[in-house]
């Protein structure tokens, strides 16, 4: 009898610790970026034959399927389940109402075409000089140019977390926040908010600062998986302009740029079933690595078990990025 009494606390302790580890993540929110406007127009970037919102939905559906299969005990919530756009404020509300532990937004990247010009000769130009009776017609030879564009060859992946505003480059913010700014009831849903203003971003930074490390760590895991799969990776990035869905979600959040729709080779990949499955597997494996990392954070450190021969922590790849974030945060206050 004393044998059972002696092992009971140990057994319960083991069960309790196991259950605690399983609770590091309960709900994942998957956000398919952009969507079809009420008037039938596409929202987001456009490739040579496809649209970002369609690709985002297809990849998100595949990701949801893989997450549910790999992590059946977790609740997976979708912010957009069909082709129609969902207001940005509603996406954040869905995530927060479901008490999400993780927010993953799926997007495609885009770059403008490259402009070229070359001189092809000269042409005669006519002009008038002088005034009144002295006005006369003159001709002169001027260079003649031919102009054209070619698709931008930029390719690869990037995973962003929300970061402080540090420059005047508004291109990304304009593209991602455009649906929010165009909503008919913008004032009702958001009030007098400019999501790209330094004042709003400073307040949002205070609110989301606690999620920076986890967001950055997950972003690092995602890009590591893309690299392992042979994709060109630009690594994890700190968004230098305000993105509403990253600012307004009260949980670790990442925005995954799955590839460049303006690169024909990548556009084909993004539209293929194989490409969508590979992207989803990379993100799913990253989430599994993230869960393992969170579980390790719960375990008490034991210096006696550490040795110089242990394998390097995969999160160490993100260390420099995290240090950069901390420095940028300190500068903003």
């Amino acid at each position: 009898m004393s044998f059972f009494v002696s092992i009971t606390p140990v057994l319960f302790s083991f069960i309790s610790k196991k259950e605690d580890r399983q609770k590091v993540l309960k709900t994942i929110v998957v956000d398919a970026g952009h969507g079809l406007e009420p008037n039938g127009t596409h929202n987001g970037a456009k490739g040579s034959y496809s649209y970002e919102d369609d690709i985002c939905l297809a990849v998100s559906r595949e990701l949801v399927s893989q997450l549910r299969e790999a992590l059946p005990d977790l609740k997976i919530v979708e912010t957009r389940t069909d082709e129609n756009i969902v207001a940005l404020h509603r996406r954040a509300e869905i995530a927060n109402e479901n008490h999400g532990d993780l927010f993953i937004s799926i997007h495609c990247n885009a770059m403008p075409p490259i402009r070229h010009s070359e001189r092809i000769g000269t042409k005669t130009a006519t002009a008038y000089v002088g005034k009144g009776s002295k006005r006369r017609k003159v001709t002169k030879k001027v260079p003649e140019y031919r102009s054209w564009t070619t698709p931008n060859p930029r390719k690869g992946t990037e995973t962003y977390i929300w970061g402080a505003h540090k420059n005047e480059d508004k291109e990304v913010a304009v593209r991602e926040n455009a649906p929010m700014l165009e909503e008919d009831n913008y004032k009702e849903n958001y009030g007098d908010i400019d999501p790209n203003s330094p004042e709003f971003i400073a307040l949002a930074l205070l609110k989301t600062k606690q999620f920076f490390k986890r967001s950055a760590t997950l972003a690092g895991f995602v890009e590591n998986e893309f690299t392992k799969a042979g994709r060109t990776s630009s690594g994890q990035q700190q968004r230098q302009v305000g993105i509403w869905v990253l600012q307004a979600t009260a949980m670790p959040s990442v925005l995954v740029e799955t590839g460049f729709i303006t690169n024909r080779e990548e556009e084909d990949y993004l539209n293929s079933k194989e490409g969508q499955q590979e992207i989803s597997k990379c993100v799913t494996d990253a989430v599994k690595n993230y869960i393992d990392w969170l579980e390790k954070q719960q375990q008490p450190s034991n210096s006696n078990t550490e040795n110089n021969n242990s394998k390097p922590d995969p999160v160490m790849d993100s260390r420099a990025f995290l240090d950069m974030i901390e420095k940028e945060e300190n500068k903003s206050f």
Side-chain angles (χ1 to χ4, degrees):
M1 185 67 176
S2 61
F3 171 76
F4 289 102
V5 171
S6 63
I7 69 168
T8 299
V10 176
L11 179 61
F12 283 152
S13 175
F14 173 78
I15 294 174
S16 176
K17 289 180 180 178
K18 183 176 180 181
E19 289 177 348
D20 286 344
R21 287 198 299 272
Q22 290 175 340
K23 293 178 181 178
V24 295
L25 220 62
K26 292 181 180 179
T27 303
I28 299 175
V29 181
V30 176
D31 173 58
H34 300 281
L36 202 63
E37 298 281 5
N39 63 4
T41 60
H42 290 273
N43 180 279
K46 182 183 184 302
S48 62
Y49 64 87
S50 62
Y51 295 89
E52 178 181 6
D53 53 339
D54 292 333
I55 294 173
C56 292
L57 183 60
V59 172
S60 294
R61 283 174 170 171
E62 179 62 32
L63 175 59
V64 167
S65 176
Q66 291 194 25
L67 286 172
R68 284 175 174 161
E69 182 177 356
L71 304 166
D73 295 332
L74 295 187
K75 177 183 178 182
I76 311 298
V77 176
E78 300 171 78
T79 63
R80 181 163 76 91
T81 58
D82 59 28
E83 70 274 12
N84 297 313
I85 194 169
V86 175
L88 293 183
H89 77 91
R90 183 57 192 149
R91 295 171 192 257
E93 287 174 355
I94 291 172
N96 295 330
E97 288 169 359
N98 283 275
H99 306 289
D101 300 300
L102 203 58
F103 183 89
I104 303 172
S105 188
I106 301 297
H107 286 255
C108 297
N109 229 328
M111 289 292 287
I114 299 175
R115 303 186 69 85
H116 309 270
S117 66
E118 66 176 1
R119 183 172 176 173
I120 58 175
T122 59
K123 62 181 180 179
T124 301
T126 301
Y128 291 88
V129 297
K131 295 182 179 180
S133 61
K134 296 183 178 180
R135 181 176 172 83
R136 60 190 178 86
K137 177 180 178 182
V138 297
T139 60
K140 62 178 179 178
K141 297 291 186 181
V142 297
E144 185 175 11
Y145 293 90
R146 178 176 72 93
S147 300
W148 74 99
T149 62
T150 57
N152 196 301
R154 180 77 183 275
K155 66 178 182 177
T157 64
E158 296 174 311
T159 299
Y160 288 91
I161 69 169
W162 181 81
H165 179 69
K166 295 297 178 185
N167 57 47
E168 295 303 317
D169 181 7
K170 300 286 188 178
E171 181 179 348
V172 176
V174 169
R175 186 172 74 239
E176 303 296 2
N177 287 330
M180 166 187 175
L181 301 174
E182 292 172 0
E183 291 175 24
D184 293 335
N185 54 348
Y186 172 85
K187 291 288 185 180
E188 177 183 342
N189 292 326
Y190 304 99
D192 294 321
I193 289 177
D194 175 2
N196 305 319
S197 69
E199 294 79 12
F200 174 77
I201 291 171
L203 292 174
L205 176 59
L206 290 172
K207 177 182 177 182
T208 62
K209 185 176 180 181
Q210 60 182 307
F211 303 122
F212 265 47
K213 182 176 181 179
R214 291 190 177 190
S215 300
T217 299
L218 175 60
F221 281 134
V222 171
E223 289 304 311
N224 285 343
E225 292 301 320
F226 282 141
T227 299
K228 285 160 58 176
R231 300 292 307 283
T232 299
S233 168
S234 295
Q236 68 254 72
Q237 305 286 339
Q238 188 179 9
R239 243 338 170 201
Q240 298 300 303
V241 284
I243 302 300
W244 178 263
V245 291
L246 296 186
Q247 292 169 328
T249 46
M251 64 204 69
S253 306
V254 296
L255 188 150
V256 183
E257 297 282 12
T258 55
F260 284 82
I261 193 174
T262 45
N263 178 309
R264 180 55 187 269
E265 180 182 353
E266 291 225 319
E267 183 180 16
D268 291 342
Y269 172 82
L270 293 170
N271 279 279
S272 70
K273 188 64 177 177
E274 295 78 10
Q276 293 166 6
Q277 289 175 339
E278 183 174 73
I279 291 168
S280 300
K281 183 179 186 304
C282 288
V283 177
T284 298
D285 288 345
V287 171
K288 290 160 66 176
N289 292 334
Y290 175 75
I291 292 173
D292 290 341
W293 176 76
L294 286 179
E295 289 176 348
K296 289 179 182 178
Q297 308 310 300
Q298 286 194 347
Q299 298 173 4
S301 59
N302 184 354
S303 58
N304 295 329
T305 62
E306 296 178 356
N307 58 74
N308 294 330
N309 296 323
S310 61
K311 294 183 178 180
D313 184 350
V315 182
M316 288 302 292
D317 294 339
S318 304
R319 234 29 116 197
F321 182 64
L322 292 170
D323 290 342
M324 178 272 290
I325 289 175
E326 184 175 357
K327 291 177 181 178
E328 292 298 313
E329 289 177 19
N330 292 334
K331 289 179 184 177
S332 64
F333 292 104

